[in-house]
Amino acid sequence: MNKILVFFPNYGSGIGSCLITFSILLEVAKFLKFDFAVDWSKRAQLKDKNCCIFEKFFEYPNNLEGTKIYYGNNIYDRFTKKGKLIKPNDLFNNNLNRQIYVARNSCSENLIKNYIPNYNEVIKKNLKNLNFIFKQNRLNILRQIVKENFCSVHLRTGNNEFSTTSPYWKRDSFIKRKLPFILISRVNLYVKKLNKKIIFKNKYIFTDSKKLLSYFVNKNFYTIQNKFINENINYKNYFDNLEEGLDFFEQSLFEILIMSKATLLIWDGSGFAKAAILLSNKKSNVQINKLLGYYKFLDDFHKLFVLFKRTFTKRSLLNITK
């Protein structure tokens, strides 16, 4: 029997990062001649910890290039709890003598680029084998949207915990919170230039902020986001009712699929948007940082100000005087 690699995402891992890591670890399993199991149970958002999100929303081949693939609600008992936790970087060690290994951490394409020459192509190929399972009303919306060329904008509002090395989408952005008109103007200017070659029928906004969403909608952007949009970090949404929780995950996956169909995707670096890019057949995407131009200095200044302020909090001063 082949050894088995189980992908069992961390408790609060975002759905975009889960999709990317799934594809990368599947390729690792193929490279190592392991079988592969997907266990997306024990989700932070669901009271029902036995529910496997992957099994609910995807159909996937049971075998790819000789690698058997297992998924379903029984994977935790069948494989995961019997396995040994392993960091993705350690999978290429020669002393793997256990039958089952469980990877929980998210990973990037850097994990496999030294082993698989065409790594970007195979990551995309693995994802495109996914058959999404959506309710009929969402499929109807999808068919309507993709009839015309359209632009999607995805913005993460970030959070207060960042360092000088944190990427833009993870940081508390002064522009996103206080000056969203700058975002609108830069996006519209870029789209206007492209309109000489491509006519965009509509522009759609995707964000984790209800305030930012409302601002963009008032400026003639469309949205397919619903009641789940709020100021909470994704994993802090919690559902006692399983059906409502599953609707939350379906909506998130649906947004990724819509963004993947966009003629142009403007994004700010998150795994959510990157998953859409990997699923897409189109090559037209640009990060919002590149559109901000010199306005980005406002966020850079804000970052330095916050770090300076934290350095001289009362707690920091007390530590200095001890």
Side-chain angles (χ1 to χ4, degrees):
M1 181 179 178
N2 288 344
K3 293 177 181 178
I4 298 171
L5 173 60
V6 181
F7 175 39
F8 180 46
N10 278 321
Y11 192 60
S13 295
I15 199 73
S17 295
C18 285
L19 285 171
I20 295 168
T21 304
F22 154 78
S23 181
I24 293 168
L25 291 180
L26 172 55
E27 202 56 36
V28 171
K30 289 192 283 185
F31 180 83
L32 297 174
K33 309 299 182 186
F34 283 21
D35 290 339
F36 187 64
V38 189
D39 181 7
W40 288 10
S41 63
K42 317 298 181 195
R43 295 295 82 209
Q45 297 90 342
L46 299 181
K47 181 179 180 180
D48 185 346
K49 300 303 180 187
N50 294 320
C51 179
C52 176
I53 298 302
F54 192 90
E55 189 265 344
K56 289 290 184 182
F57 298 114
F58 299 110
E59 291 176 347
Y60 205 78
N62 294 320
N63 191 302
L64 276 181
E65 301 169 29
T67 296
K68 292 181 181 178
I69 300 167
Y70 305 94
Y71 62 93
N73 286 332
N74 64 340
I75 297 300
Y76 183 82
D77 290 329
R78 188 178 175 187
F79 299 123
T80 309
K81 70 179 184 180
K82 301 175 184 177
K84 176 181 174 60
L85 283 176
I86 189 169
K87 295 179 180 178
N89 286 333
D90 294 334
L91 284 165
F92 294 99
N93 292 342
N94 293 323
N95 57 344
L96 300 180
N97 51 17
R98 296 287 292 268
Q99 183 63 35
I100 303 173
Y101 288 93
V102 179
R104 303 212 68 183
N105 295 343
S106 297
C107 57
S108 73
E109 59 270 17
N110 291 333
L111 179 68
I112 61 173
K113 69 179 184 180
N114 292 330
Y115 301 92
I116 301 167
N118 58 336
Y119 63 91
N120 201 49
E121 293 176 21
V122 296
I123 292 171
K124 291 174 72 74
K125 184 178 178 182
N126 289 340
L127 286 175
K128 287 178 181 179
N129 279 316
L130 289 166
N131 181 29
F132 287 78
I133 303 172
F134 292 136
K135 294 186 181 75
Q136 189 59 48
N137 65 320
R138 287 193 169 101
L139 292 175
N140 292 339
I141 294 171
L142 175 64
R143 293 190 189 100
Q144 189 64 33
I145 290 175
V146 300
K147 286 181 179 179
E148 307 280 354
N149 290 326
F150 69 98
C151 167
S152 290
V153 178
H154 181 262
L155 298 172
R156 279 284 302 273
T157 51
N159 54 64
N160 292 324
E161 300 304 320
F162 62 79
S163 68
T164 53
T165 58
S166 295
Y168 177 68
W169 63 272
K170 284 186 177 179
R171 297 201 308 264
D172 177 21
S173 166
F174 182 74
I175 292 177
K176 291 175 186 175
R177 282 194 298 108
K178 301 294 186 181
L179 305 170
F181 66 88
I182 292 177
L183 296 172
I184 290 275
S185 64
R186 301 304 290 180
V187 167
N188 283 339
L189 180 62
Y190 186 76
V191 171
K192 185 177 180 180
K193 290 179 180 178
L194 286 184
N195 265 341
K196 296 175 182 178
K197 299 179 181 179
I198 306 170
I199 302 300
F200 295 100
K201 179 70 174 178
N202 293 311
K203 294 174 292 186
Y204 289 86
I205 177 66
F206 299 86
T207 179
D208 57 353
S209 168
K210 192 170 184 177
K211 294 176 182 176
L212 204 55
L213 180 76
S214 298
Y215 186 86
F216 270 75
V217 169
N218 287 334
K219 300 296 181 180
N220 300 317
F221 278 71
Y222 290 87
T223 181
I224 62 163
Q225 294 182 279
N226 58 15
K227 59 184 177 182
F228 301 120
I229 184 69
N230 51 46
E231 308 305 316
N232 286 339
I233 298 172
N234 182 277
Y235 67 83
K236 290 187 176 180
N237 290 282
Y238 182 80
F239 303 94
D240 286 313
N241 182 279
L242 179 59
E243 288 304 313
E244 188 174 4
L246 290 176
D247 194 42
F248 166 81
F249 279 103
E250 184 178 350
Q251 176 65 25
S252 296
L253 289 167
F254 182 59
E255 290 170 18
I256 289 175
L257 188 60
I258 291 290
M259 288 194 297
S260 76
K261 305 293 184 183
T263 314
L264 168 67
L265 175 58
I266 299 171
W267 61 302
D268 58 4
S270 70
F272 197 87
K274 189 171 182 179
I277 291 170
L278 290 170
L279 282 164
S280 177
N281 292 321
K282 306 177 190 300
K283 296 183 179 179
S284 186
N285 67 83
V286 60
Q287 290 202 32
I288 191 70
N289 265 357
K290 294 182 179 180
L291 304 190
L292 286 176
Y294 55 83
Y295 288 111
K296 187 176 177 293
F297 287 112
L298 293 171
D299 265 329
D300 291 338
F301 177 79
H302 174 252
K303 178 178 70 171
L304 293 174
F305 173 76
V306 172
L307 291 172
F308 179 82
K309 184 179 178 181
R310 288 180 182 177
T311 302
F312 293 98
T313 58
K314 289 182 180 180
R315 181 177 297 178
S316 297
L317 292 174
L318 285 173
N319 288 337
I320 293 171
T321 56
K322 282 182 180 179

